[in-house]
Amino acid sequence: MKSYSEMSKEELMQEKQSLEQAYADYQKMDLSLNMARGKPAPAQLDLANDLLTAVSADELVDEISGLDTRNYGGLDGIPEAKELIASMVDAKADQVIVFGNSSLNTMYDQVARGMLTGYCGETPWCKLPEVKWICPVPGYDRHFAVTEHFGIRMINVPMSEDGPDMDMVEELVKDPAVKGMWNVPKYSNPQGYVYSEEVTRRIANLKPAAKDFRVFWDNAYCVHHLYAEDEKRGHLLNILDLCEKAGNPDLVFEFVSTSKVSYAGGGIAGIVTSENNKKDILASMTVQTIGYDKVNQLRHARFFDNGALVDQHMMKHASILRPKFELVEDKFSKNLAGLGVGSWTKPLGGYFVTYTTLPGCATRTIQLAKEAGVVMTGAGAPFPYHKDPEDSTIRVSPSYPSLEELGQALDVFAVCVKLAAVEKLLA
Amino acid sequence: MKSYSEMSKEELMQEKQSLEQAYADYQKMDLSLNMARGKPAPAQLDLANDLLTAVSADELVDEISGLDTRNYGGLDGIPEAKELIASMVDAKADQVIVFGNSSLNTMYDQVARGMLTGYCGETPWCKLPEVKWICPVPGYDRHFAVTEHFGIRMINVPMSEDGPDMDMVEELVKDPAVKGMWNVPKYSNPQGYVYSEEVTRRIANLKPAAKDFRVFWDNAYCVHHLYAEDEKRGHLLNILDLCEKAGNPDLVFEFVSTSKVSYAGGGIAGIVTSENNKKDILASMTVQTIGYDKVNQLRHARFFDNGALVDQHMMKHASILRPKFELVEDKFSKNLAGLGVGSWTKPLGGYFVTYTTLPGCATRTIQLAKEAGVVMTGAGAPFPYHKDPEDSTIRVSPSYPSLEELGQALDVFAVCVKLAAVEKLLA
């Protein structure tokens, strides 16, 4: 089939008619499919069944510290769980604070600390006339929701396959009102890109005007590979080591989570950062709580043998996720390649694929899909203030549906992409 | 033995000498005892051993909502756990939001919301020149630490056996800068008092100048009775019902926790409040997290049969705690009664006894105890800014040590109380 751009108006009209027929047929099927949320499938959650019994009544003491995990104490997390979190990002256990079940909550709290208490003795941001934040786009909607909630002005910086546009970032951090930057550096949400060595090095070597500027390094998909082979895996440099070497030891808060390793609703989260930052965080944490759920920390440490079993476990996830990502690639290639109706990413890990439509077609595509029973993440969601300047980015989340449902959803989606494109070209 | 106040100087000198001898003997014993923290004893934690296996791999779905507790979703908590929390304070499940393992964290977050986002559309407190808070004293040190952390000016209101001085409270809330009030209304920390019906009614009927004034009702010891008999239990009116009737439905945030029911380090917490307040909290919670640990919520709901088994379980705690509280009463009566060296409370529940020394003797008593190997909560801790105006309040925490250790610690403590008193009287 030839590209839509090469078609005559008549050919496009004909194509539109045939797409409308296909679309109408789908509508009649009364489908209820969902490619909107990055949720693990039930089969993935089943992989952690033994987590429930990973500690028994006579094993409730942390082996390293001797702490009874059932009682109060252990503000910064139990040592065994620090080992687990550290192992996931090639860090040292003493760089880790372990939190509760939500790394999003940990990030929210960390921005809230900047707002209310200030980092390392700097002025709390709520006392400043304006606070700005660097937001690589497209990015993670819930990151942007946090900074928006606190009234922080978000500045878009475009992403490429290598990461954010570092020329722009280096320029932006000269402004002392710029206090932070969101990142999902590995298998980025929503593209699945991995920050290149050069980009990572340039981030570690930033010289921000604000002493309390921090890089929020949400390494949410650090161990979430789709393949076992090393050459089919994304590789990210250790940002904390690079910051240390660059004389920038306090620049980064790295966030780690087991939400998509064990249970999305009952995992553990951690911050990995410098001694200085840790002290600063703990100084307000000690007011906030007596400690997070240490029994669940212990459960995780034991189930994953302090980290030794994580990769093996993630390969079980991969065996469930890989066919879904391959189906996306397969369906997009068969249904959409060569038509000039957009492009898509081919991640080696993570939870998302980005489909980029013709400019101005994302909202319409998503609306068409919805009216045919296929729910996609809302148009604009991967952008600050929900504004996609090109109206072309669609986040595709293949993890939750079964293979059969996913195949059907992708077929419907392809028709919607094409129909929206034809409509646009004929407009 | 006659009261110290009736003794001649010579008799006091003699008493001092004999106390110093007793004290020196204790010092030689190289004791290491602790009556400082309200921690459950290991035997109490063992009572919840079956919590660990309360849910198995095929029972992970909330029965009421059909939600898979392992996955994302369920921001406000699972319905079964709402039933549990509601049952503990005689509330309705739809008044409840369920959180993570720490009610302190829940309170901190709730004050932080006031600071950063404001309640129900009111101005965030960080934008105001001054925020004030009513603090019944003595009270819970960690409450005061939260308000101090946020730079809120704390105002002492004296406690009696019936609760805070309501004449003062009613006067204070006329100031629109007064935004909140801490309370531990049942088995108060550190006295073990229960707010009377009159005090509770007057609180529910407050007419604060500030629309965003909230009563923080930390019902930490709602089910923590020492006795089974109804007449030996504290009874607290349902504040939310009273507020509703008083046309004050949004006045109160009630906090509930299972920290001293199941595990201090791995329980669940809840807020009980009006529909309006719930909506307001959820509007910022949805930015903060995708949800708290629902697997642990389910574990608790199942272990306590949605609340039906709570009282039975608390009576097992009581069988461990009661002898300790009775030992305190026994030792204080035998060693300190009639000497005019202070007074103490006789709680029917909770975790603490307050010993009130002669004015100016608390710091010295605690120092003496420490130097004889008995750690007490720091002097001043139960007051805002750690300032006990009378230097007379000592919080006694009998829960953690064994009966034998506790007996020894109380003997040492009695000698320290007397020695500090004699020193004072001779000074």
Side-chain angles (χ1 to χ4, degrees):
Chain A
M1 197 167 183
K2 65 178 172 184
S3 169
Y4 285 10
S5 60
E6 292 163 13
M7 285 188 185
S8 65
K9 190 170 174 184
E10 200 164 86
E11 283 172 311
L12 280 173
M13 298 279 279
Q14 209 164 18
E15 174 72 2
K16 183 165 179 256
Q17 209 168 18
S18 109
L19 286 166
E20 280 169 345
Q21 185 55 55
Y23 182 75
D25 288 346
Y26 281 130
Q27 279 195 308
K28 279 184 210 133
M29 291 170 72
D30 215 12
L31 300 171
S32 175
L33 302 165
N34 192 310
M35 293 195 293
R37 286 295 318 161
K39 284 172 77 168
Q44 291 178 261
L45 299 169
D46 289 344
L47 297 173
N49 275 346
D50 290 344
L51 181 69
L52 293 170
T53 49
V55 294
S56 63
D58 53 358
E59 304 168 319
L60 287 161
V61 170
D62 175 79
E63 273 189 2
I64 303 170
S65 63
L67 204 67
D68 185 336
T69 57
R70 301 169 301 176
N71 221 323
Y72 290 118
L75 179 64
D76 57 348
I78 63 167
E80 289 186 44
K82 289 184 193 174
E83 298 268 3
L84 166 60
I85 296 290
S87 79
M88 290 169 65
V89 292
D90 199 20
K92 293 180 275 299
D94 63 9
Q95 295 176 305
V96 176
I97 301 174
V98 194
F99 294 80
N101 74 310
S102 163
S103 62
L104 178 66
N105 199 337
T106 304
M107 290 181 254
Y108 175 100
D109 279 4
Q110 202 46 30
V111 178
R113 273 186 198 105
M115 293 296 295
L116 275 174
T117 49
Y119 297 156
C120 301
E122 298 296 309
T123 308
W125 303 336
C126 71
K127 306 285 181 203
L128 302 178
E130 188 173 44
V131 175
K132 302 177 195 168
W133 208 270
I134 298 170
C135 298
V137 292
Y140 178 31
D141 53 348
R142 288 182 181 269
H143 283 167
F144 304 149
V146 169
T147 26
E148 182 173 5
H149 182 69
F150 291 126
I152 292 171
R153 197 175 126 203
M154 297 181 275
I155 302 162
N156 291 4
V157 167
M159 283 281 288
S160 77
E161 274 189 81
D162 291 330
D165 179 332
M166 286 308 297
D167 291 342
M168 273 187 74
V169 171
E170 283 161 356
E171 198 53 39
L172 285 166
V173 299
K174 292 177 184 167
D175 177 354
V178 171
K179 299 296 189 186
M181 174 181 179
W182 290 120
N183 300 273
V184 183
K186 194 167 174 181
Y187 304 135
S188 63
N189 177 351
Q191 311 90 338
Y193 294 154
V194 180
Y195 283 19
S196 72
E197 295 200 3
E198 194 208 328
V199 164
T200 310
R201 281 184 207 286
R202 285 175 74 177
I203 290 176
N205 283 276
L206 283 174
K207 297 288 171 232
K211 274 192 206 169
D212 51 355
F213 172 88
R214 292 292 183 277
V215 171
F216 280 59
W217 197 252
D218 182 6
N219 213 339
Y221 306 106
C222 50
V223 293
H224 302 59
H225 311 285
L226 290 174
Y227 298 92
E229 301 87 342
D230 205 52
E231 67 277 13
K232 287 190 180 174
R233 288 181 167 195
H235 295 280
L236 180 70
L237 291 181
N238 183 322
I239 186 91
L240 286 172
D241 285 357
L242 294 176
C243 287
E244 180 77 38
K245 278 173 205 148
N248 252 344
D250 303 330
L251 187 70
V252 170
F253 301 132
E254 180 166 20
F255 300 89
V256 183
S257 163
T258 71
S259 285
K260 283 166 188 127
V261 180
S262 58
Y263 289 154
I268 63 172
I271 288 186
V272 186
T273 191
S274 69
E275 195 56 34
N276 232 6
N277 285 336
K278 268 179 58 192
K279 263 188 211 155
D280 192 55
I281 293 167
L282 289 168
S284 74
M285 255 178 84
T286 193
V287 177
Q288 185 176 19
T289 180
I290 308 180
Y292 288 92
D293 184 344
K294 297 188 299 299
V295 178
N296 205 36
Q297 292 178 9
L298 189 68
R299 229 176 245 125
H300 278 76
R302 297 281 162 90
F303 180 67
F304 292 111
D305 192 14
N306 295 11
L309 301 178
V310 168
D311 191 59
Q312 184 183 317
H313 189 79
M314 293 314 291
M315 284 302 98
K316 295 180 195 165
H317 280 282
S319 70
I320 297 168
L321 286 170
R322 193 171 48 240
K324 296 181 180 180
F325 278 81
E326 290 179 347
L327 185 61
V328 172
E329 172 60 26
D330 189 48
K331 289 283 188 186
F332 283 179
S333 293
K334 280 194 189 130
N335 295 327
L336 299 167
L339 297 180
V341 294
S343 59
W344 60 93
T345 60
K346 301 172 189 65
L348 296 172
Y351 264 66
F352 305 103
V353 171
T354 290
Y355 190 90
T356 308
T357 66
L358 298 187
C361 287
T363 303
R364 176 64 181 154
T365 302
I366 289 166
Q367 181 203 357
L368 283 167
K370 188 178 173 189
E371 289 167 10
V374 177
V375 178
M376 308 294 300
T377 308
F383 291 81
Y385 312 109
H386 297 265
K387 281 181 201 150
D388 176 357
E390 297 285 314
D391 188 26
S392 65
T393 300
I394 299 178
R395 188 177 82 165
V396 180
S397 311
S399 59
Y400 193 77
S402 68
L403 266 178
E404 194 191 353
E405 289 170 329
L406 180 65
Q408 200 163 35
L410 288 163
D411 286 338
V412 175
F413 179 74
V415 169
C416 299
V417 167
K418 288 189 281 187
L419 187 50
V422 172
E423 286 175 357
K424 189 79 184 175
L425 292 167
L426 285 170
Chain B
M1 198 166 183
K2 65 179 172 183
S3 168
Y4 284 11
S5 60
E6 292 163 12
M7 284 187 186
S8 67
K9 189 171 176 183
E10 202 165 85
E11 284 172 311
L12 279 173
M13 298 279 278
Q14 212 165 15
E15 175 70 2
K16 184 165 179 253
Q17 211 168 15
S18 110
L19 287 166
E20 279 168 346
Q21 186 54 55
Y23 183 75
D25 290 345
Y26 281 129
Q27 280 194 308
K28 281 185 206 129
M29 291 170 70
D30 216 13
L31 299 171
S32 175
L33 302 165
N34 193 310
M35 292 194 293
R37 286 296 318 160
K39 284 170 76 166
Q44 291 178 260
L45 299 168
D46 289 345
L47 297 173
N49 275 346
D50 290 344
L51 180 69
L52 293 169
T53 48
V55 293
S56 64
D58 53 358
E59 303 167 319
L60 288 160
V61 170
D62 175 78
E63 273 188 3
I64 303 170
S65 63
L67 205 66
D68 184 336
T69 58
R70 302 169 301 175
N71 220 324
Y72 290 118
L75 179 64
D76 57 347
I78 63 168
E80 289 186 44
K82 288 185 194 173
E83 299 267 4
L84 166 61
I85 295 290
S87 80
M88 291 170 66
V89 292
D90 199 19
K92 292 178 276 300
D94 63 8
Q95 293 176 305
V96 176
I97 301 174
V98 194
F99 293 81
N101 74 309
S102 164
S103 62
L104 178 66
N105 199 336
T106 303
M107 290 181 253
Y108 176 99
D109 279 4
Q110 203 46 30
V111 179
R113 271 185 202 107
M115 292 296 294
L116 276 173
T117 47
Y119 297 156
C120 300
E122 297 297 309
T123 307
W125 303 336
C126 70
K127 306 285 181 204
L128 301 178
E130 190 174 43
V131 176
K132 302 177 195 167
W133 207 271
I134 299 171
C135 299
V137 292
Y140 178 31
D141 54 348
R142 288 182 181 271
H143 283 167
F144 304 149
V146 169
T147 26
E148 182 173 5
H149 183 70
F150 291 125
I152 293 171
R153 197 175 128 206
M154 296 180 277
I155 302 163
N156 291 4
V157 168
M159 281 282 288
S160 76
E161 275 189 77
D162 290 329
D165 179 330
M166 287 307 299
D167 290 343
M168 274 187 74
V169 172
E170 283 161 357
E171 198 53 39
L172 284 165
V173 299
K174 292 177 184 167
D175 177 354
V178 171
K179 298 297 189 187
M181 173 181 180
W182 290 120
N183 299 274
V184 184
K186 193 167 175 181
Y187 305 136
S188 63
N189 178 350
Q191 311 91 337
Y193 295 154
V194 180
Y195 283 20
S196 71
E197 293 199 6
E198 192 207 329
V199 164
T200 309
R201 282 185 207 285
R202 285 175 74 177
I203 291 176
N205 283 277
L206 283 173
K207 299 286 170 230
K211 273 193 208 169
D212 51 353
F213 172 89
R214 292 291 183 278
V215 171
F216 280 60
W217 196 252
D218 182 5
N219 213 339
Y221 307 107
C222 50
V223 292
H224 302 60
H225 311 285
L226 290 174
Y227 299 92
E229 300 86 341
D230 206 51
E231 68 276 13
K232 287 190 179 172
R233 288 183 167 193
H235 294 280
L236 181 69
L237 291 183
N238 184 321
I239 185 92
L240 286 173
D241 284 357
L242 294 177
C243 287
E244 180 77 39
K245 278 172 205 149
N248 252 344
D250 302 331
L251 187 71
V252 170
F253 300 132
E254 179 166 22
F255 299 91
V256 184
S257 163
T258 71
S259 286
K260 284 166 186 126
V261 180
S262 58
Y263 290 155
I268 62 172
I271 288 186
V272 186
T273 192
S274 69
E275 194 56 34
N276 231 7
N277 284 336
K278 270 180 57 193
K279 263 188 212 156
D280 191 55
I281 294 167
L282 289 169
S284 74
M285 256 178 83
T286 192
V287 177
Q288 184 175 20
T289 180
I290 308 179
Y292 289 92
D293 184 343
K294 296 186 301 297
V295 179
N296 205 36
Q297 292 178 9
L298 188 68
R299 231 178 244 123
H300 278 75
R302 297 282 162 92
F303 180 66
F304 292 110
D305 192 12
N306 294 11
L309 301 177
V310 168
D311 191 59
Q312 182 183 321
H313 189 79
M314 293 314 291
M315 285 301 98
K316 296 180 194 165
H317 280 283
S319 70
I320 297 168
L321 286 170
R322 192 170 50 240
K324 297 181 179 180
F325 277 81
E326 289 178 348
L327 185 61
V328 173
E329 172 59 25
D330 189 49
K331 290 281 186 185
F332 282 179
S333 293
K334 280 195 186 129
N335 295 326
L336 298 167
L339 297 179
V341 294
S343 59
W344 60 93
T345 60
K346 300 173 188 67
L348 297 173
Y351 266 66
F352 305 103
V353 172
T354 289
Y355 189 90
T356 307
T357 67
L358 298 186
C361 287
T363 303
R364 176 63 180 156
T365 303
I366 289 166
Q367 181 202 359
L368 284 167
K370 189 180 172 187
E371 288 167 10
V374 177
V375 178
M376 307 294 299
T377 308
F383 291 81
Y385 312 109
H386 298 265
K387 280 181 201 150
D388 176 358
E390 298 285 315
D391 188 25
S392 65
T393 299
I394 300 179
R395 188 179 81 165
V396 180
S397 311
S399 59
Y400 193 77
S402 68
L403 266 178
E404 194 191 353
E405 291 170 327
L406 181 65
Q408 201 164 35
L410 288 163
D411 286 338
V412 175
F413 179 74
V415 169
C416 299
V417 167
K418 289 188 281 188
L419 188 49
V422 173
E423 287 175 357
K424 191 78 183 177
L425 292 168
L426 286 170

